[in-house]
Amino acid sequence: MTADRPKDFIRDIIDADLAAGRHQKIVTRFPPEPNGYLHIGHAKSICLNFGIARDYGGVCHLRFDDTNPTTEDVEYAEAIMRDVRWLGFDWGDKLFYASDYYERLYQLAEELIEKGLAYVCDLNEEEISAYRGTITEAGRPSPYRERSVAENLQLFRSMRAGEFPDGSRVLRAKIDMASPNMKLRDPLLYRIKHAHHYRSGDAWCLYPLYDFAHPLSDAIEGITHSICTLEFENNRDIYDWLVDHLTLPARPRQYEFARLNLTYTLMSKRKLLQLVEEKRVSGWDDPRMPTIAGLRRRGVTPEALRAFATRVGVAKNNSTVELALFEHTLREDLNERSPRVLCVLDPLEVVIENYPAGQSEELDAALWPHDVPKEGSRKLPFGPRLYIDRSDFSENPPKDFFRLAPGREVRLRHAYVIRCERVVKDAAGNVTQLVCSYDPSTRGGDAGGRKIKGTLHWVSADHAVDVEVRAYDRLFSVEIPGAAGGDPLADLNPASLVVRTGCKAEPSLRSAAAGDRFQFEREGFFFVDPLASRPGAPVFNRTVSLKDSWAKAAAKAEPKAEPRAAKAKAPEKPSAREALSPEAQALLERHGLSPEDARVLGEPGPLRALFDAALAFHGNARGLAAWIVNELPPAARAGEPLPFGARELAELSSLIDDGTLSGALGKKVLAEMLNGGGSPKAIVERLGLKQIGDPAALGPVVDRILAESAEMVARYKAGNKNVLGALTGMVLKETRGQANPKLVSQLLLDRLG
Ligand code: ATP
Ligand code: MG
């Protein structure tokens, strides 16, 4: 148990369970359904479940939740095992399949029937849903609800024996048709499906539903903490009901955390399958896919994925993480494992007119920059014919263009200073060649005190290797695909893959082997494609470009002015991370703080002391940092005492994390605290500030606002999607800021269709 161990609300729960002696050993599970490949969201869940097992000396089971015969396949199960292993986790001998429990689950269903807690229902799907009622109206009991135990048993056995067609009957739990939690209104446990299953074959025509199979599989395996995503919050009541009413070897508990959402990315397995089936991508492992297989083939490392999972943390509120943060994490990881080499993607010929024809020389070129503690170099041939990138030349350069132009000088990386003397064009006026001169006294790039602003990458034309480069970019061109209401696949980025052949690489890359990683200077990080490459003919996938929009945004928040040259395609700039003090950098790495917050809290002083003290009470470092850095009055930074302490601040942050307060309500509470109002919980009670997260309570408000805003609704329907924000604001105002904003926009969307 090191100080670097992540802290989050689930680990807090486990700590408390262990302290109270509720468990001796922690058992978690990762339960994928083998109906598709794993994606980066699953990676977060894998890191959480396996990470907890590792940190607490427990175990994590890999369990295939395979209860749907029509969509599952052994190909998927195998891919999932490969991906979990590649991520660096090991389930030992704890590999399980829900399908192995079919007989046991069936016996448990009979136990429920015998206890009078389940019945066979002959209503069809539509009728079941009509009988279930609505959030505001209680359901009605099914006419089959009072069947006798004997009749239920006999019918259920006949269902198993294959005597009824698909969809004709189901087994339902007998719980409460008036429950405010609609999920408890006699949920379905078993359905008839005459279908072949990839593991159990044709042994069954009766399959358990998730709500039945999942908790019972957990109990059978002795899982202590069953961690799932927030959508299952309402299913927890069924979970508890089942494990409390059946004879089982263990009493597991379910906890929900926020799923990972990423901008420019879709994570629905159904949509990913559609991309594959419609051949919008080359397969599940297409390097543009957010699948683990795709990321691996793109060149992402397991270390980067794990670091990202740690950095985004484990929260109780859904949010969308910026893809730029993932890319930033990736660059940090690749930086230290990618030797720097030269490759010209869009070659333009340069002739050095004062270099002796037919000659060449070799230059020593370090493979690593100064800030990477690694050694090694290679020889770079230099001669009278070179290539530079076409984008590094401009005939009529804009003011801040520091690359090559007629009459201008640039430095060639590791080589000489050259000057552009003449431009050669074809009949159509296209530039086909640059005639340059070189300054022999500048070997190695030493310009002898002369100010040379630009440094370009280049290769010797007579020694270059022709390679194929696949420049991958974001698969979608908008932050939230489908947000405008249409088909998300309509938002695919048409330029997500640009294949370039005839790129000119330095000769050392001839021997690049599948799986090797490089940084092509000034271009990005590249990975030798394991499938398309042949010996002597590597194909390079661009894993990520060097343009770091995350670090850029962070640097913007910093008062120091950025050099103007940043606008040009500059050689690698120090990232914002490198500009941080060691202490701030440690905060960024240990707690995943944003660079701005890390910068403030990296300074010793009252804010840092408050942060450290609050962290002891509540593990959400990023949440705490945001409160301290953004919301406390400036005087607090100067050391003016606050009317509350670290414990209260931690309490405030935890009220946000557990969904009691929205951000806006949290600010109201903080204002009270600053006025000497006491503990946040007491303030919430006193002012009745709890966030309203109940659809039944918000529905009527939403309906009223919509009824009063006919004109806005019409504008929305006419395609003005901005209206949604305004309507959400009106509902929030109506509830004095207490409505959960996400829920409000969901309810609005539901109603607006
Ligand atoms: P579906 O159920 O639609 O097939 P799924 O993405 O939920 O898709 P599962 O195979 O059921 O797929 O997921 C396995 C585990 O991964 C579950 O515990 C689920 O909660 C978790 N998981 C899935 N998507 C995410 C995500 N985006 N972020 C974090 N965890 C996720
Ligand atoms: Mg699922």
Side-chain angles (χ1 to χ4, degrees):
M1 316 230 168
T2 69
D4 284 344
R5 210 177 85 189
K7 286 288 293 162
D8 52 61
F9 77 94
I10 292 184
R11 285 174 165 89
D12 289 346
I13 290 168
I14 294 175
D15 288 337
D17 285 347
L18 288 171
R22 279 189 283 273
H23 303 291
Q24 309 318 317
K25 182 172 178 177
I26 302 303
V27 187
T28 55
R29 86 287 170 268
F30 173 65
E33 185 181 353
N35 62 352
Y37 278 56
L38 298 180
H39 52 59
I40 186 169
H42 294 117
K44 172 174 170 176
S45 173
I46 293 168
C47 289
L48 179 61
N49 281 294
F50 281 94
I52 285 174
R54 177 201 59 212
D55 292 349
Y56 288 91
V59 288
C60 179
H61 297 184
L62 176 62
R63 179 170 73 237
F64 287 104
D65 233 342
D66 52 357
T67 54
N68 186 357
T70 51
T71 54
E72 293 160 5
D73 197 285
V74 64
E75 177 205 339
Y76 296 134
E78 283 167 0
I80 289 170
M81 290 193 265
R82 189 159 61 233
D83 291 347
V84 175
R85 274 206 197 93
W86 176 80
L87 253 187
F89 297 105
D90 185 6
W91 52 89
D93 59 352
K94 305 294 182 198
L95 174 64
F96 301 103
Y97 294 85
S99 51
D100 285 348
Y101 307 141
Y102 282 170
E103 182 60 38
R104 190 135 174 218
L105 294 172
Y106 176 86
Q107 296 304 332
L108 287 166
E110 285 208 351
E111 181 184 333
L112 269 190
I113 295 174
E114 276 160 6
K115 288 178 168 165
L117 295 174
Y119 61 98
V120 173
C121 181
D122 304 357
L123 295 179
N124 65 31
E125 213 178 314
E126 253 167 58
E127 293 163 332
I128 288 178
S129 132
Y131 272 79
R132 185 168 281 136
T134 63
I135 340 180
T136 48
E137 269 169 71
R140 286 173 293 141
S142 155
Y144 306 98
R145 200 170 198 262
E146 299 309 325
R147 273 180 166 152
S148 70
V149 167
E151 189 188 358
N152 279 321
L153 264 185
Q154 181 253 316
L155 280 172
F156 191 52
R157 286 172 185 166
S158 303
M159 282 165 71
R160 174 179 185 169
E163 290 172 23
F164 308 120
D166 288 3
S168 57
R169 291 188 159 89
V170 292
L171 184 75
R172 298 176 71 174
K174 196 170 177 178
I175 307 183
D176 179 2
M177 288 306 289
S179 171
N181 179 355
M182 305 252 320
K183 298 259 180 197
L184 285 186
R185 297 185 185 174
D186 292 7
L188 274 55
L189 306 180
Y190 269 92
R191 60 182 169 158
I192 301 172
K193 201 154 211 171
H194 293 265
H196 186 85
H197 186 270
Y198 80 103
R199 285 189 88 244
S200 61
D202 297 309
W204 292 85
C205 59
L206 188 64
Y207 290 93
L209 279 113
Y210 172 90
D211 277 330
F212 187 72
H214 197 80
L216 302 182
S217 302
D218 282 347
I220 289 169
E221 290 176 18
I223 302 298
T224 54
H225 297 79
S226 176
I227 304 165
C228 63
T229 40
L230 282 174
E231 317 84 86
F232 294 97
E233 203 165 353
N234 289 334
N235 302 59
R236 193 199 319 132
D237 289 338
I238 308 180
Y239 191 108
D240 289 339
W241 187 88
L242 282 169
V243 292
D244 285 338
H245 285 91
L246 284 165
T247 317
L248 293 164
R251 173 57 167 99
R253 286 192 189 274
Q254 173 182 307
Y255 301 94
E256 308 89 26
F257 74 105
R259 68 190 298 116
L260 173 69
N261 301 305
L262 264 185
T263 55
Y264 301 100
T265 308
L266 270 190
M267 271 187 249
S268 144
K269 274 199 261 179
R270 201 168 44 82
K271 284 285 165 202
L272 296 179
L273 177 64
Q274 194 186 340
L275 287 171
V276 173
E277 284 185 334
E278 293 179 5
K279 304 215 183 315
R280 309 286 195 105
V281 293
S282 66
W284 285 99
D285 67 348
D286 186 300
R288 291 165 293 179
M289 290 281 271
T291 52
I292 295 181
L295 295 168
R296 172 169 60 227
R297 187 166 168 197
R298 185 162 173 153
V300 172
T301 65
E303 291 85 356
L305 269 176
R306 295 199 302 261
F308 178 62
T310 306
R311 191 166 268 183
V312 298
V314 183
K316 259 260 164 204
N317 279 48
N318 276 323
S319 65
T320 299
V321 176
E322 283 186 53
L323 186 60
L325 177 62
F326 175 61
E327 292 171 345
H328 177 73
T329 309
L330 189 53
R331 287 185 194 98
E332 283 180 341
D333 177 83
L334 294 174
N335 182 45
E336 304 226 335
R337 50 176 101 239
S338 310
R340 289 3 183 216
V341 294
L342 305 181
C343 179
V344 174
L345 303 189
D346 186 8
L348 172 63
E349 193 184 352
V350 169
V351 172
I352 309 287
E353 59 179 352
N354 60 339
Y355 197 91
Q359 283 191 30
S360 69
E361 66 189 291
E362 285 195 320
L363 301 163
D364 258 326
L367 285 166
W368 302 96
H370 304 300
D371 56 346
V372 175
K374 287 191 171 172
E375 284 178 15
S377 65
R378 81 288 192 194
K379 298 280 185 203
L380 266 183
F382 183 89
R385 248 167 30 89
L386 314 172
Y387 291 113
I388 64 165
D389 199 275
R390 198 163 273 280
S391 66
D392 282 333
F393 173 76
S394 170
E395 211 174 357
N396 302 296
K399 214 167 150 227
D400 53 3
F401 188 85
F402 298 122
R403 294 167 269 164
L404 202 55
R408 293 239 190 123
E409 281 189 325
V410 291
R411 180 186 285 110
L412 296 180
R413 180 86 167 123
H414 301 298
Y416 295 95
V417 171
I418 62 168
R419 174 201 305 277
C420 178
E421 307 290 353
R422 285 187 309 284
V423 177
V424 180
K425 295 183 182 177
D426 65 11
N430 302 308
V431 176
T432 53
Q433 192 187 64
L434 304 178
V435 179
C436 298
S437 61
Y438 86 120
D439 177 349
S441 74
T442 57
R443 194 174 203 263
D446 178 3
R450 212 146 83 234
K451 234 197 154 110
I452 309 282
K453 279 208 173 143
T455 299
L456 307 187
H457 61 294
W458 59 278
V459 291
S460 162
D462 298 324
H463 303 85
V465 192
D466 272 5
V467 297
E468 177 177 329
V469 170
R470 300 177 177 175
Y472 290 104
D473 203 343
R474 299 167 175 188
L475 183 52
F476 292 91
S477 51
V478 300
E479 283 203 5
I480 314 280
D487 177 11
L489 299 201
D491 294 327
L492 280 170
N493 173 8
S496 59
L497 169 58
V498 177
V499 178
R500 286 177 182 277
T501 51
C503 301
K504 304 288 182 183
E506 65 169 78
S508 75
L509 287 178
R510 194 189 305 277
S511 57
D516 284 351
R517 293 188 166 79
F518 299 95
Q519 184 193 101
F520 292 174
E521 294 203 43
R522 301 179 66 237
E523 291 291 351
F525 291 100
F526 290 80
F527 182 66
V528 181
D529 190 286
L531 300 184
S533 300
R534 301 279 164 267
V539 172
F540 293 93
N541 294 335
R542 184 171 74 195
T543 311
V544 65
S545 75
L546 292 178
K547 237 182 280 149
D548 192 334
S549 53
W550 182 264
K552 237 191 200 149
K556 233 192 203 154
E558 190 186 17
K560 238 191 315 155
E562 276 280 297
R564 286 206 58 186
K567 265 191 93 187
K569 196 160 114 197
E572 266 204 291
K573 284 188 298 127
S575 71
R577 178 170 168 263
E578 283 157 350
L580 292 175
S581 71
E583 191 51 36
Q585 199 160 310
L587 282 175
L588 186 140
E589 278 166 15
R590 181 149 15 98
H591 299 297
L593 298 194
S594 70
E596 306 93 281
D597 290 355
R599 190 166 282 119
V600 174
L601 296 176
E603 310 254 308
L607 294 190
R608 174 58 188 268
L610 180 62
F611 174 76
D612 286 340
L615 206 52
F617 293 108
H618 179 61
N620 181 354
R622 293 204 303 164
L624 288 170
W627 283 109
I628 295 174
V629 175
N630 303 326
E631 306 299 338
L632 291 184
R637 195 179 291 205
E640 195 160 289
L642 292 164
F644 55 84
R647 180 192 292 274
E648 286 73 29
L649 188 78
E651 192 175 299
L652 175 64
S653 180
S654 72
L655 288 173
I656 304 278
D657 289 353
D658 71 13
T660 306
L661 293 177
S662 63
L665 288 175
K667 286 182 194 171
K668 279 194 191 171
V669 172
L670 180 68
E672 279 300 302
M673 290 163 69
L674 288 166
N675 273 331
S679 98
K681 280 189 182 150
I683 296 171
V684 168
E685 281 305 316
R686 196 170 67 238
L687 304 183
L689 282 181
K690 269 197 187 110
Q691 172 164 249
I692 309 173
D694 178 5
L698 283 179
V701 186
V702 169
D703 288 335
R704 187 160 70 259
I705 297 287
L706 284 176
E708 289 165 2
S709 321
E711 190 232 355
M712 289 175 89
V713 171
R715 268 162 55 207
Y716 179 87
K717 296 215 159 130
N720 183 350
K721 303 297 176 202
N722 295 335
V723 170
L724 190 65
L727 287 168
T728 306
M730 288 162 73
V731 177
L732 288 178
K733 198 156 167 222
E734 192 69 17
T735 59
R736 294 173 28 244
Q738 276 171 253
N740 176 330
K742 291 240 172 63
L743 180 59
V744 171
S745 55
Q746 191 52 53
L747 291 173
L748 282 167
L749 277 174
D750 288 350
R751 284 163 171 76
L752 291 168

